Amino acid sequence: MIGIPPRFFSRIACAGVLLALCVPSESLARRNLTKFVNPFVGTAKNGHTYPGATVPFGMVQLSPDTRTEGWDACSGYHYSDSSILGFSHTHLSGTGVADYGDILVMPTVGQLAVTQGDPGGVVRGYRSRFRHSEESASPGFYKVRLDDYNIQIELTATTRVGVHKYIFPKSDSANVVIDLTHGLGLDKVVESKLQVVGDNEIVGFRRSQGWAKDQVIYFVVQFSKPFKSFGIAVDDVIRQQRRIASGKNLKGFVRFKTQTNETIVLKVGLSSVSIGGARRNLRTEMPGWDFDSVKAAAGKLWNSELNRIWVDGGTEGQRRTFYTALYHSMLTPNTFSDVDGQYRGMDGKVRSVKGFEMYTVFSLWDTFRAEHPLFTIIDRKRALDFVRSLLAKYEESGILPVWELAGNETWCMIGYHAVPVILDAYAKGIRSFDAERALVAMRHSAQLDHFGLKSYRENGYIPSEAESESVSKTLEYAYDDWCIAQLASAIGKKQMAADFDERGQYYRNLFDPSSGFMRAKENARWFEPFDPRSVTFNYTEANAWQYSFFAPQDVAGLIELYGGRESFVRKLDQLFSEKEELSGRNQLDISGMIGQYAQGNEPSHHVSYLFNYASAPWRTQEIVRRIVDSLYTAEPDGLCGNDDCGEMSAWYVFSAMGFYPVTPGLPYYSIGSPLFDRVTLRLEDGKQFIIR
């Protein structure tokens, strides 16, 4: 392992293959790195990514939707599909649950349709067939031709504005439909409103209930050309020339007369606060109509972000995989505050921030492991804003977020993993927040009685009969509690530190020495029947094999439980050499198998680095390189599991660079196997850290 000073990488530090250097003369140079990014990576199989236009951490994710239902509709787009429903402005990247897909816009030619139709075309709607040969994407840009209408589509974005460019054929009936009913997954409209303003603007809002129980989004759509007619469909009944309507099933439409290859540009401003907020966002970020300049600015912004890391050497495919992974890690969290700082709080009230951006989409069970630790290295300013956002959400709702989405707590996944994100930032010297108030918020999460916490405190573990996923929750609560102890100790709260340090050892209470696994207890006895390959309700998206190595706060203690280093290495070797078959529940998230190791889901992500702690670093190097080489590519099927808001990709970024944060919250990293001849981290303080 390598120990890092509190300012991390900002001082000279040498260990093994790592070497920090002062800034060379090329420090201000930029390379063209967007050419290595393929936004289609992860759109096939179950990566659940989207290929559309967005900027780093943007509010707008303007992307094509090809389906709305089923597990592979989580991002709205799947590479196996052959028809497009339209282009909506909000998308989740790599999640295992579907939501968003707000404010869908679809251009058509000919007879007006306000329903989507079906994929086979038996019921004609506004959907259109397309071909991948007529489709392309790059950071901040997406392009496709709609075969049924002969319309070329180009999309780009600013942070809060989606920009469409439609190149129409000659037609007396060129249409644009705005569908407020459309949403992904269980997302259903609770109320909505549309209003046609003048001859080139439509405004409104959409309130929906889905994974996010109460999502509100306001919008302003402006057209570069006045429309010749317009209307609103209420419950799919077309009302020509109607200017305003409210309800649960609204579709607006406008119609144009176009010449051959005539271009019409749309710009769509979003806000969680108001139509006025959406209009301010639009006016501020795109006052004109120059699509190409916005596209160029989006590409330039992406290139600047990607230039935080330079890689030299490796193959073309490895560089493409690396920069695509870096791109995916920068898609979330998403900007949630307007240009004036206003946003919708966790309590539904309109609030305002000053001095930082408010963010949303915190997939913390996933991203505390690698993505947030990556930000503490390459984007410390934004990492601070993420911490401030989490703490603001605590003040608004009375609890730190677990899985926050659009100002809503979804209560998805387990643990209270805002805690390690806050601690990790503090441990890396990112401290411009109230640490004492943060500790109060962290302790509050640990003292609640929900999700088995009361049993956990009373027993030192969660009994199987008291709570589902009892093993996983016990292990993850213990790690989170250790994190609380670390911050308490750092700011001088000795008794609190001692109390939570003790809780950080509760993982030991579910280790069964007779089987060598973390195992559930039912009525104070080991749970029967027991099969370590079985996916049961005692584990979260995993089995005993995948969770028996989760004690990142005390790897030395874990090794002791296994009988020492040699026994621990044998157990790890067995993990990677077991048959890949699973039993029990069918869990699609468990994928990317090497033996019983599952790279496609987060509980396994640190495990390949544990050989280092047992004096077998060559095994870590071998396994990490095997994962990097075999389970990631630069093709649409290049992810072996859900990208989970960039966590899968952040793992690759770290591992390809040659080190990994096994224990977020400690300024130490475990060395693996650098993929490239040279990696240069170009840091915000002007210095560089070079890995050779």
Side-chain angles (χ1 to χ4, degrees):
M1 292 186 296
I2 176 172
I4 307 298
R7 279 288 298 158
F8 189 65
F9 287 139
S10 62
R11 303 179 188 173
I12 295 174
C14 300
V17 297
L18 303 175
L19 177 64
L21 299 176
C22 295
V23 182
S25 59
E26 63 178 356
S27 63
L28 299 179
R30 289 285 185 269
R31 296 179 178 180
N32 178 14
L33 299 178
T34 58
K35 66 181 181 181
F36 293 114
V37 175
N38 179 8
F40 290 103
V41 169
T43 60
K45 293 178 103 173
N46 58 351
H48 295 180
T49 59
Y50 60 84
T54 187
V55 297
F57 309 98
M59 178 185 290
V60 168
Q61 309 87 36
L62 177 52
S63 189
D65 290 342
T66 62
R67 61 174 73 184
T68 61
E69 297 179 355
W71 199 55
D72 284 331
C74 290
S75 73
Y77 180 98
H78 199 269
Y79 200 77
S80 63
D81 294 333
S82 58
S83 64
I84 286 175
L85 298 168
F87 308 92
S88 63
H89 290 76
T90 60
H91 292 87
L92 296 172
S93 180
T95 58
V97 182
D99 204 335
Y100 275 11
D102 297 285
I103 322 301
L104 181 132
V105 180
M106 182 63 170
T108 68
V109 169
Q111 183 176 352
L112 178 67
V114 294
T115 60
Q116 295 180 344
D118 61 56
V122 176
V123 178
R124 188 76 170 109
Y126 56 65
R127 99 167 51 223
S128 173
R129 290 166 292 183
F130 77 105
R131 291 165 289 164
H132 292 305
S133 61
E134 295 287 334
E135 183 186 36
S136 61
S138 60
F141 179 67
Y142 174 85
K143 179 179 178 181
V144 71
R145 179 172 295 278
L146 301 180
D147 286 347
D148 287 336
Y149 305 118
N150 192 27
I151 302 173
Q152 180 172 301
I153 309 294
E154 297 183 22
L155 309 176
T156 190
T158 68
T159 298
R160 300 170 179 85
V161 180
V163 188
H164 308 234
K165 178 181 178 181
Y166 302 153
I167 302 177
F168 283 97
K170 184 175 183 179
S171 176
D172 290 331
S173 53
N175 317 301
V176 177
V177 177
I178 301 173
D179 189 341
L180 298 193
T181 306
H182 174 87
L184 302 178
L186 299 177
D187 181 83
K188 301 298 179 187
V189 176
V190 175
E191 60 175 326
S192 61
K193 183 177 181 178
L194 267 172
Q195 182 175 0
V196 180
V197 180
D199 61 1
N200 82 325
E201 183 177 276
I202 295 180
V203 304
F205 77 92
R206 181 180 190 272
R207 188 178 209 127
S208 62
Q209 185 176 74
W211 192 15
K213 298 303 181 185
D214 185 18
Q215 184 201 354
V216 184
I217 188 164
Y218 295 87
F219 65 92
V220 173
V221 184
Q222 294 181 349
F223 299 81
S224 62
K225 175 181 179 177
F227 34 80
K228 69 173 185 177
S229 63
F230 59 87
I232 299 175
V234 180
D235 296 329
D236 295 334
V237 177
I238 294 174
R239 311 284 181 87
Q240 297 283 352
Q241 304 303 112
R242 182 166 181 172
R243 284 194 174 270
I244 189 169
S246 299
K248 295 182 180 180
N249 183 359
L250 301 181
K251 288 86 175 268
F253 61 88
V254 298
R255 312 193 79 178
F256 303 90
K257 181 177 181 179
T258 55
Q259 301 302 315
T260 302
N261 293 329
E262 182 173 351
T263 294
I264 295 178
V265 174
L266 283 70
K267 48 187 181 181
V268 182
L270 301 185
S271 170
S272 67
V273 173
S274 65
I275 291 172
R279 184 173 280 112
R280 279 189 294 274
N281 292 341
L282 193 157
R283 287 175 175 169
T284 301
E285 296 188 354
M286 193 184 173
W289 294 99
D290 189 343
F291 179 93
D292 289 339
S293 69
V294 177
K295 172 189 170 185
K300 184 177 180 180
L301 185 57
W302 270 115
N303 199 50
S304 178
E305 294 292 331
L306 295 172
N307 265 272
R308 293 178 185 271
I309 305 177
W310 285 354
V311 299
D312 294 288
T315 67
E316 174 83 7
Q318 288 169 333
R319 291 191 293 274
R320 288 177 62 81
T321 303
F322 180 86
Y323 281 110
T324 301
L326 187 58
Y327 165 84
H328 277 141
S329 72
M330 294 174 171
L331 293 178
T332 53
N334 300 124
T335 301
F336 199 50
S337 47
D338 291 346
V339 292
D340 61 0
Q342 291 193 92
Y343 69 97
R344 184 170 298 274
M346 298 286 284
D347 53 5
K349 297 178 181 178
V350 174
R351 295 177 173 272
S352 185
V353 291
K354 292 183 179 179
F356 72 99
E357 295 286 1
M358 177 58 63
Y359 287 89
T360 185
V361 187
F362 284 95
S363 179
L364 297 167
W365 182 81
D366 306 292
T367 56
F368 86 85
R369 304 168 197 265
E371 185 171 71
H372 280 284
L374 179 64
F375 298 145
T376 67
I377 302 172
I378 65 172
D379 199 345
R380 294 169 65 85
K381 181 182 182 302
R382 204 169 258 121
L384 175 60
D385 281 4
F386 295 154
V387 170
R388 288 172 167 171
S389 294
L390 294 172
L391 294 175
K393 293 175 194 298
Y394 165 76
E395 299 293 344
E396 296 159 14
S397 67
I399 187 171
L400 284 170
V402 174
W403 211 121
E404 183 270 344
L405 174 61
N408 291 259
E409 179 54 72
T410 68
W411 300 113
C412 190
M413 306 313 296
I414 65 172
Y416 26 94
H417 294 314
V419 166
V421 172
I422 295 168
L423 171 66
D424 195 53
Y426 188 89
K428 307 296 172 53
I430 300 170
R431 299 181 178 180
S432 296
F433 60 91
D434 187 338
E436 291 211 18
R437 186 60 179 162
L439 184 61
V440 170
M442 293 158 73
R443 183 180 182 277
H444 174 74
S445 289
Q447 296 301 99
L448 296 172
D449 290 340
H450 61 185
F451 305 131
L453 269 169
K454 188 172 186 291
S455 295
Y456 167 82
R457 292 195 302 272
E458 292 174 348
N459 299 286
Y461 66 91
I462 301 174
S464 178
E465 71 272 15
E467 181 79 9
S468 64
E469 304 176 7
S470 61
V471 177
S472 298
K473 288 176 180 175
T474 296
L475 300 180
E476 298 206 20
Y477 288 156
Y479 165 67
D480 288 340
D481 287 345
W482 172 87
C483 291
I484 295 172
Q486 300 308 297
L487 185 58
S489 177
I491 64 175
K493 306 291 185 179
K494 293 183 179 180
Q495 186 57 55
M496 189 188 303
D499 292 343
F500 280 94
D501 237 351
E502 180 181 353
R503 286 171 57 162
Q505 293 293 305
Y506 284 179
Y507 77 93
R508 293 172 174 264
N509 296 331
L510 289 185
F511 182 77
D512 172 20
S514 66
S515 66
F517 289 96
M518 296 292 178
R519 184 173 173 183
K521 284 183 178 178
E522 184 176 47
N523 298 317
R525 297 181 179 181
W526 294 119
F527 184 89
E528 293 284 359
F530 178 69
D531 175 1
R533 297 175 304 156
S534 184
V535 180
T536 72
F537 67 92
N538 290 317
Y539 303 91
T540 303
E541 297 181 0
N543 60 20
W545 269 116
Q546 289 136 30
Y547 255 105
S548 289
F549 301 97
F550 189 82
Q553 72 276 23
D554 186 23
V555 179
L558 186 65
I559 292 172
E560 175 192 319
L561 290 179
Y562 276 103
R565 293 179 177 180
E566 292 184 2
S567 297
F568 188 67
V569 169
R570 283 197 298 270
K571 192 71 173 184
L572 286 172
D573 279 336
Q574 189 181 356
L575 167 73
F576 288 101
S577 60
E578 279 282 303
K579 292 182 179 179
E580 294 181 1
E581 289 86 356
L582 302 171
S583 61
R585 296 189 299 178
N586 180 31
Q587 193 84 49
L588 293 173
D589 303 87
I590 306 174
S591 58
M593 304 295 290
I594 301 177
Q596 286 291 303
Y597 174 90
Q599 176 63 24
N601 211 20
E602 281 68 26
S604 292
H605 275 188
H606 68 294
V607 175
S608 57
Y609 287 89
L610 295 182
F611 289 101
N612 282 343
Y613 297 76
S615 301
W618 56 90
R619 288 293 285 139
T620 282
Q621 295 159 21
E622 176 187 353
I623 293 294
V624 169
R625 182 59 65 88
R626 180 179 174 187
I627 296 168
V628 164
D629 286 346
S630 65
L631 296 177
Y632 291 82
T633 73
E635 301 302 321
D637 62 355
L639 291 174
C640 64
N642 299 161
D643 200 37
D644 286 315
C645 294
E647 168 60 24
M648 281 274 292
S649 292
W651 184 96
Y652 183 92
V653 171
F654 267 121
S655 296
M657 291 194 297
F659 62 104
Y660 187 77
V662 169
T663 310
L666 284 181
Y668 296 95
Y669 295 81
S670 191
I671 292 177
S673 179
L675 187 62
F676 300 99
D677 298 338
R678 175 183 170 121
V679 177
T680 306
L681 291 139
R682 310 174 78 238
L683 307 174
E684 288 161 290
D685 63 3
K687 297 182 180 179
Q688 297 185 348
F689 190 84
I690 297 174
I691 304 162
R692 289 175 177 165

